[in-house]
Structure formats: structure tokens, C-alpha cells
């Protein structure tokens, strides 16, 4: 596989010589992106739940996988800023992906979980029934958007051609239409320094919570 979409957190933990080649980072059309190549996670609960932000420390939290920014680091970083965050002990995981979080909330296994805001945006666009039983309780601090990366085996000419095509996609009507169908406005050069800071953000969260889920 030559080009894939990769979460920034596992990318950031790789040594430079082990990383795939970064190409571009998407810019979402959603308001939470603010026109930048960032994303966040929505903290979600059942629509008919009485859960409020003040109740989060007492809630049963679900998480996806421990090397996920959106499904693990982001909700923990958010929770670390809330009162009584260190009291959270009732967690369920790995739920693997946003669908797992949705199913766990709908089935009553968890009270609250985090869904990648871009995944939530795509579900709103293409599978609204799936998230209809949910409501957004809060939205986390932004982080660098998962980036498109290429195999290190690709030639430099191919890499340059891919980057040029992606970075200029929004300049044609056809490209704009394709991007809009994906909920995107454009692609941007990745801010590599922002990705490099992600492990430190995760360590700060571990320290603030006093434990790791």
C-alpha cells in the first residue's frame, strides 16, 4: 500500500528513520477546525442521558485503543482539566473505533466516550442514524490532524507528484467537489513540530491524572 491515512500519535512516537514519508494534512470544513489542519474529539453520551460535564468524573468512560489520539489521549487530556479527574476508575476498553464507542453507549456498557470529531462529521454527513442517539457533551483541545503518509519505498518524484496533486486539489471545481464530499476544504503542509509535541502532551496527561487507564 503506497499511501495511507495515519493517526498523528503513533506517527510521532516513531524514530525519524522509521517514519513513513509525510505528505499532507487535511483541513476540515467543520467549525472546530477553524480553517487549520487540526482536529479534536467530541465527548459523547446518550441523547436521553442526564449526564452533565460536572458528572464526568463519576461516569463510566470508554476508550478505543491506547495508541489513539482521538479515542484515548484526547479524552484523557480533557478529563485531566476537570474537577476530581483522578477519581475516574471505571473505564472500558479497548472499544477499537468510533463504532465501538457508539455501540457501547447504546448498549449501556459505558456512559461517555470520545469520537474523533472528523469521524463524527462524516457520520453526520453519511450515516446520521448511527449517531442520532448521541449528544455532544464537550469537545476536546485541538491536535494535529491525522496525516496522509507514503511508503518510504516510493521514489522522490512520486512523492513530489502526490504532494503537488493533494496540495492543489482545492484549486479546481472537480477537486473542490471531491473534497466537499469528504467534509474537507483543502490539504495543507503538515506542521511537523506539532506532531513531535504529541508524546509530551500524553506524558503530561499521565502525570496530571496520576495513573494510566
Amino acid at each position: 500500500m503506497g499511501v495511507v491515512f495515519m493517526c498523528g500519535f503513533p506517527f510521532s512516537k516513531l524514530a525519524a528513520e522509521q517514519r513513513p514519508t509525510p505528505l499532507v494534512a487535511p483541513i476540515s470544513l467543520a467549525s472546530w477546525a477553524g480553517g487549520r489542519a487540526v482536529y479534536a474529539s467530541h465527548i459523547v453520551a446518550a441523547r436521553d442521558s442526564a449526564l452533565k460535564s460536572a458528572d464526568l468524573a463519576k461516569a463510566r468512560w470508554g476508550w478505543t485503543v491506547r495508541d489513539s489520539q482521538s479515542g484515548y489521549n484526547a479524552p484523557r487530556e480533557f478529563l485531566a482539566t476537570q474537577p476530581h479527574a483522578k477519581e475516574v476508575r471505571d473505564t472500558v476498553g479497548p472499544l477499537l473505533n468510533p463504532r465501538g464507542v457508539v455501540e457501547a453507549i447504546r448498549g449501556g456498557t459505558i456512559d461517555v466516550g470520545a469520537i474523533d470529531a472528523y469521524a463524527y462529521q462524516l457520520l453526520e454527513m453519511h450515516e446520521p442514524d448511527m449517531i442520532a442517539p448521541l449528544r455532544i457533551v464537550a469537545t476536546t483541545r485541538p491536535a494535529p490532524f491525522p496525516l496522509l503518509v507514503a511508503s518510504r519505498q516510493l521514489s522522490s518524484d512520486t512523492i513530489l507528484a502526490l504532494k503537488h496533486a493533494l496540495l492543489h486539489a482545492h484549486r479546481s471545481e472537480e477537486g473542490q467537489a471531491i473534497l466537499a464530499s469528504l467534509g474537507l476544504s483543502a490539504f495543507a503542509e503538515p506542521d511537523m513540530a506539532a506532531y513531535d509535541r504529541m508524546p509530551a502532551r500524553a506524558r503530561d496527561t499521565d502525570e496530571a491524572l496520576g495513573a494510566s487507564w
Side-chain angles (χ1 to χ4, degrees):
M1 190 176 293
V3 178
V4 297
F5 198 42
M6 185 174 186
C7 176
F9 184 61
F11 176 89
S12 72
K13 295 194 296 180
L14 292 172
E17 65 274 11
Q18 296 177 319
R19 290 178 174 179
T21 303
L23 295 175
V24 296
I27 301 174
S28 172
L29 288 165
S31 60
W32 44 257
R36 299 180 297 147
V38 298
Y39 79 140
S41 293
H42 292 318
I43 308 299
V44 296
R47 185 169 296 279
D48 59 0
S49 166
L51 185 77
K52 299 178 181 178
S53 58
D55 304 322
L56 291 177
K58 300 176 183 178
R60 292 170 298 166
W61 281 76
W63 50 275
T64 56
V65 291
R66 286 195 170 94
D67 63 352
S68 169
Q69 171 62 28
S70 60
Y72 185 72
N73 287 333
R76 294 174 71 251
E77 184 180 55
F78 169 81
L79 185 61
T81 67
Q82 304 301 301
H84 312 296
K86 292 184 178 181
E87 297 177 10
V88 173
R89 291 293 181 269
D90 193 2
T91 66
V92 177
L95 298 173
L96 303 182
N97 52 43
R99 288 184 182 274
V101 173
V102 174
E103 290 169 3
I105 290 175
R106 294 176 71 170
T109 305
I110 62 173
D111 300 315
V112 65
I115 295 180
D116 172 335
Y118 179 56
Y120 197 94
Q121 177 189 0
L122 291 176
L123 290 170
E124 283 184 313
M125 293 171 62
H126 303 295
E127 295 187 61
D129 289 348
M130 183 176 175
I131 56 172
L134 305 182
R135 63 184 175 88
I136 297 172
V137 179
T139 299
T140 68
R141 176 185 170 191
F145 207 118
L147 65 171
L148 282 172
V149 297
S151 167
R152 294 173 65 88
Q153 280 70 48
L154 291 183
S155 70
S156 58
D157 286 346
T158 301
I159 295 295
L160 288 173
L162 285 168
K163 290 192 67 169
H164 183 272
L166 292 166
L167 289 171
H168 292 79
H170 65 286
R171 297 189 177 184
S172 70
E173 290 186 5
E174 181 182 12
Q176 290 172 10
I178 293 172
L179 288 166
S181 72
L182 298 170
L184 302 176
S185 64
F187 292 105
E189 289 278 0
D191 179 355
M192 300 315 300
Y195 293 96
D196 289 339
R197 289 192 291 270
M198 294 179 81
R201 286 177 60 169
R203 290 192 297 271
D204 289 345
T205 297
D206 285 342
E207 184 175 344
L209 289 178
S212 179
W213 289 359

